[in-house]
């Protein structure tokens, strides 16, 4: 059984479009995250939710809007896509803070 | 804020030899230090972690050491095998002030290659 799943795995789109990435975890964890990994493999946290409540919001353009309909899901919606948004986006979950984070397989976003 | 530096960025070792990756962190409040392995096309996966009340932890061929005074921590892989080839990330956990939030700051990664 997949612990943390993301859809889609690949996303190719034009500049200016709006797109969403979905994430689901079946681990029963309370906390979920979105990370961005750039072409140099650098991993940077974007958002963190605990029990559907936003608790970490890094300096991310407001074109990025996370939504957590329930504890098991954390979706990422991106408006007006830009070339610089091209990256791999990872969803992760953990049980509490300072604990192991389980990562999804990633979504490779390419903006043309 | 917290800053984690990781060295080297690339490392190539002969199969069977040892590999060492070093990290430093800036915030003395950090108390959780995980190491993640990322294989090609996959998400990072935890391989070992250490908390600030422990100086060393070992799990089979993998060991991590922590020097809180110097704010250094290192990953040691002994008897390296081809399947150890991957990108390795160190990280430090810094509380964001929320009771349930703990922001993990990742190092820049080390691409480890095992030569047959």
């Amino acid at each position: 059984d997949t612990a943390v799943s993301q859809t889609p795995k690949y996303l190719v789109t034009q500049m200016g479009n709006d797109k969403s990435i979905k994430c689901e975890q079946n681990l029963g964890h309370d906390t979920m995250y979105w990370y961005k990994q750039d072409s140099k493999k650098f991993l940077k946290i974007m958002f963190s939710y605990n029990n559907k409540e936003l608790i970490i919001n890094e300096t991310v353009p407001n074109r990025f809007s996370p939504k957590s309909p329930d504890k098991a899901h954390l979706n990422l919606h991106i408006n007006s896509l830009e070339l610089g948004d091209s990256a791999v986006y990872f969803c992760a979950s953990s049980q509490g803070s300072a604990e192991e984070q389980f990562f999804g397989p990633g979504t490779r976003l390419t903006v043309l | 804020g917290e800053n984690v530096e990781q060295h080297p960025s690339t490392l190539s070792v002969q199969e069977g030899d040892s590999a060492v990756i070093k990290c430093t962190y800036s915030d003395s409040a950090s108390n959780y230090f995980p190491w993640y392995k990322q294989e090609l096309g996959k998400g990072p996966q935890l391989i070992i972690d250490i908390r600030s009340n422990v100086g060393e932890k070992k799990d089979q061929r993998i060991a991590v050491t922590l020097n809180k005074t110097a704010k250094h921590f290192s990953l040691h892989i002994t008897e390296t095998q081809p399947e150890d080839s991957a990108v390795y990330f160190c990280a430090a956990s810094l509380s964001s002030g929320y009771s349930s939030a703990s922001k993990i700051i990742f190092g820049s990664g080390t691409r480890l290659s095992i030569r047959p």
Side-chain angles (χ1 to χ4, degrees):
Chain A
D1 283 345
T2 304
V4 182
S5 59
Q6 293 178 231
T7 54
K9 188 165 176 62
Y10 299 97
L11 188 50
V12 181
T13 188
Q14 299 287 332
M15 265 197 315
N17 284 350
D18 304 339
K19 290 292 178 187
S20 291
I21 307 172
K22 294 186 176 182
C23 178
E24 176 181 1
Q25 55 96 3
N26 62 6
L27 299 166
H29 287 165
D30 290 333
T31 307
M32 296 185 72
Y33 312 82
W34 276 110
Y35 286 89
K36 179 180 181 180
Q37 186 171 48
D38 63 23
S39 57
K40 295 183 180 178
K41 295 289 189 182
F42 191 66
L43 261 174
K44 189 170 176 7
I45 189 166
M46 300 172 69
F47 303 102
S48 175
Y49 270 72
N50 179 268
N51 278 320
K52 302 193 297 176
E53 181 187 350
L54 179 65
I55 54 172
I56 293 175
N57 186 346
E58 288 298 281
T59 311
V60 178
N62 57 15
R63 298 182 294 104
F64 290 78
S65 53
K67 284 187 172 52
S68 182
D70 55 58
K71 234 174 61 164
H73 295 85
L74 180 62
N75 304 323
L76 183 66
H77 188 76
I78 315 170
N79 289 329
S80 304
L81 279 155
E82 300 177 357
L83 292 176
D85 297 332
S86 295
V88 181
Y89 292 83
F90 286 100
C91 176
S93 72
S94 67
Q95 185 58 40
S97 62
E99 298 295 337
E100 178 179 4
Q101 292 189 13
F102 291 80
F103 283 79
T107 296
R108 181 175 293 278
L109 171 66
T110 303
V111 183
L112 303 174
Chain B
E2 173 68 283
N3 184 45
V4 177
E5 294 194 358
Q6 182 171 347
H7 300 280
S9 57
T10 59
L11 180 60
S12 178
V13 300
Q14 193 73 33
E15 183 178 350
D17 287 350
S18 296
V20 179
I21 302 171
K22 298 183 178 183
C23 290
T24 62
Y25 62 99
S26 60
D27 192 327
S28 55
S30 292
N31 59 4
Y32 175 62
F33 305 93
W35 286 86
Y36 284 82
K37 176 183 180 182
Q38 185 177 21
E39 297 177 340
L40 193 62
K42 297 184 178 179
Q45 184 174 14
L46 182 78
I47 54 171
I48 195 167
D49 56 12
I50 191 167
R51 298 184 188 272
S52 58
N53 58 348
V54 174
E56 185 173 356
K57 184 176 178 181
K58 191 173 180 181
D59 182 3
Q60 299 183 351
R61 297 186 297 107
I62 294 173
V64 58
T65 59
L66 171 65
N67 182 330
K68 282 169 49 182
T69 304
K71 291 188 275 190
H72 289 174
F73 58 117
S74 301
L75 177 73
H76 303 251
I77 306 174
T78 58
E79 301 171 23
T80 53
Q81 301 169 3
E83 54 264 35
D84 295 330
S85 294
V87 178
Y88 291 80
F89 293 94
C90 63
S93 181
L94 172 68
S95 171
S96 72
Y98 291 86
S99 60
S100 57
S102 181
K103 186 167 61 177
I104 287 187
I105 305 298
F106 284 86
S108 53
T110 296
R111 186 177 298 277
L112 174 63
S113 301
I114 308 301
R115 303 190 303 270

